[in-house]
Amino acid sequence: MTLKEWNRQAFWVGLAVLLAGTLSFFYWAGKKQVWFCDEIYTYESANGFEQDWPNASVDQWMTGGDVEAFFAADWDRLALNDITVRLYNDHVPLYFWLFRMVSLFCFKGSASIWIGLSMNLVFYLAVLGLIYGMFLRLTKRALASGTAALLTGIVNRLIIEQATVLRMYMMLLLAELLLLLAGLWVLRGADRKKMSAGTFLYLSAVSGAGFLTHYDYWIFYAVTAALFCLWLFCLGIKKEGKGFWRSWEFLYVAFWVGNFAVSLFVTIRLFPYCQWNLNRGKGQTALYSLFDFSGKSLSRLHGGISGCRLPCSEMGHRRG
């Protein structure tokens, strides 16, 4: 197969993956009927500051139209600072800022479920494209990469759930994948002994956007940055020994640390309340939830293994 034929096949397979993902998204989104409290909170955080909750008026009948008006964007201004202030002790605000923009510019006066779903569709297709591109880069086989993307991102129940929930989880997954891609670009730059301003700007944008998406991203960022920087540090020592600080690998470690400082500074400037939340609010909750989830998962795994061994040993004992 020539390079031109391979590029053509890769393009059409990728297009088929995106089309299948779009059809799957609309199929499952069309079945969405029930909201849970956090999804309602999304609409309330992005648009609910325009007026009081309808039942604030005592002895008055609250209609479905009243509720929809509360969730809809009706003003002629973005009022992003109002969202920021409302979230001072809760989530970071980027998703809600975007939600407000989509509500005001595309769904003004409506509390349509498609405000959140349309945003998630964009994030979902971007995730599918990244998954397909990564597999294609690794395997060089379009059909195999398309099949892997299909199994990973389209018929995967977990991804479908994240894509149809009116929260920032799909956006969070996209930010995490983009950070991994940034790490790979850094490794490639160090190997080629070349550093570009574009890589620095890209890593800064991905880091800052992730920091403003969810506090769970901060944990993912810390682990990812530590692993990549440790790998670069070890490569520098392997190549230069005691003079590792002269290596391109060490230069990129310093580059990443400086990039983190810039991204953190920008994040704090845009959402200063994150400093409090990291210490006492959502950041601490996210870290606790991670350890609690990991502990329960390991406990279930150990219990499952132990539960399997006991009947097997009893069966052998009875047979004996």
Side-chain angles (χ1 to χ4, degrees):
M1 184 183 294
T2 65
L3 179 61
K4 184 178 181 179
E5 291 173 335
W6 184 87
N7 286 333
R8 185 183 297 113
Q9 185 185 60
F11 170 78
W12 286 112
V13 171
L15 186 62
V17 168
L18 294 180
L19 179 60
T22 302
L23 293 175
S24 173
F25 181 90
F26 277 102
Y27 174 78
W28 292 110
K31 292 181 174 296
K32 185 176 180 64
Q33 296 180 351
V34 179
W35 293 12
F36 74 104
C37 57
D38 281 356
E39 293 179 303
I40 294 174
Y41 179 71
T42 296
Y43 284 75
E44 181 184 358
S45 299
N47 301 321
F49 54 83
E50 292 183 341
Q51 61 188 54
D52 292 330
W53 177 245
N55 68 351
S57 302
V58 182
D59 297 329
Q60 292 187 16
W61 181 257
M62 182 176 65
T63 68
D66 294 329
V67 176
E68 184 174 2
F70 177 75
F71 289 153
D74 298 312
W75 289 359
D76 292 325
R77 60 186 179 89
L78 283 174
L80 298 183
N81 188 60
D82 292 277
I83 299 174
T84 302
V85 172
R86 287 169 66 89
L87 295 171
Y88 78 95
N89 66 339
D90 206 344
H91 287 285
V92 280
L94 181 57
Y95 176 79
F96 302 99
W97 289 343
L98 295 176
F99 198 97
R100 173 69 178 181
M101 294 177 188
V102 175
S103 298
L104 187 62
F105 296 133
C106 303
F107 295 89
K108 186 175 181 180
S110 170
S112 170
I113 194 174
W114 281 97
I115 299 173
L117 288 175
S118 62
M119 293 173 59
N120 283 4
L121 175 60
V122 175
F123 301 140
Y124 175 60
L125 293 180
V127 166
L128 276 184
L130 280 175
I131 292 173
Y132 173 69
M134 289 180 178
F135 278 116
L136 188 63
R137 184 66 181 269
L138 291 172
T139 65
K140 306 297 183 184
R141 297 180 178 180
L143 290 177
S145 301
T147 303
L150 177 71
L151 297 175
T152 306
I154 298 179
V155 298
N156 185 332
R157 178 179 174 180
L158 179 61
I159 296 295
I160 292 171
E161 289 179 350
Q162 299 308 302
T164 54
V165 169
L166 308 180
R167 297 291 283 171
M168 71 290 294
Y169 306 129
M170 206 67 226
M171 184 179 173
L172 172 63
L173 178 59
L174 176 60
E176 291 171 343
L177 289 177
L178 291 174
L179 179 64
L180 290 176
L181 184 60
L184 295 176
W185 281 359
V186 167
L187 289 180
R188 184 178 65 176
D191 184 59
R192 294 180 176 179
K193 296 180 173 56
K194 182 180 179 181
M195 181 176 290
S196 67
T199 305
F200 184 89
L201 293 174
Y202 173 79
L203 181 58
S204 298
V206 168
S207 302
F211 290 151
L212 288 168
T213 297
H214 200 289
Y215 286 111
D216 285 352
Y217 179 88
W218 296 65
I219 302 171
F220 181 85
Y221 179 92
V223 174
T224 302
L227 290 175
F228 274 105
C229 288
L230 179 61
W231 182 256
L232 288 166
F233 189 75
C234 293
L235 286 177
I237 294 176
K238 181 180 179 181
K239 291 181 179 180
E240 303 292 342
K242 293 182 179 180
F244 67 88
W245 54 273
R246 294 191 299 266
S247 67
W248 276 90
E249 286 75 14
F250 182 76
L251 183 62
Y252 262 103
V253 171
F255 155 89
W256 199 314
V257 172
N259 190 279
F260 167 71
V262 171
S263 303
L264 184 61
F265 174 77
V266 173
T267 301
I268 292 175
R269 290 288 295 176
L270 292 174
F271 190 65
Y273 306 114
C274 68
Q275 301 173 83
W276 179 88
N277 280 324
L278 281 175
N279 294 324
R280 300 179 183 180
K282 285 288 183 178
Q284 192 178 61
T285 301
L287 191 60
Y288 172 80
S289 299
L290 176 66
F291 285 115
D292 183 57
F293 175 77
S294 301
K296 289 181 179 178
S297 299
L298 291 174
S299 176
R300 289 170 184 165
L301 179 61
H302 179 267
I305 295 174
S306 301
C308 178
R309 287 176 178 171
L310 182 58
C312 291
S313 60
E314 289 179 352
M315 187 180 297
H317 177 73
R318 289 171 183 172
R319 286 180 179 175

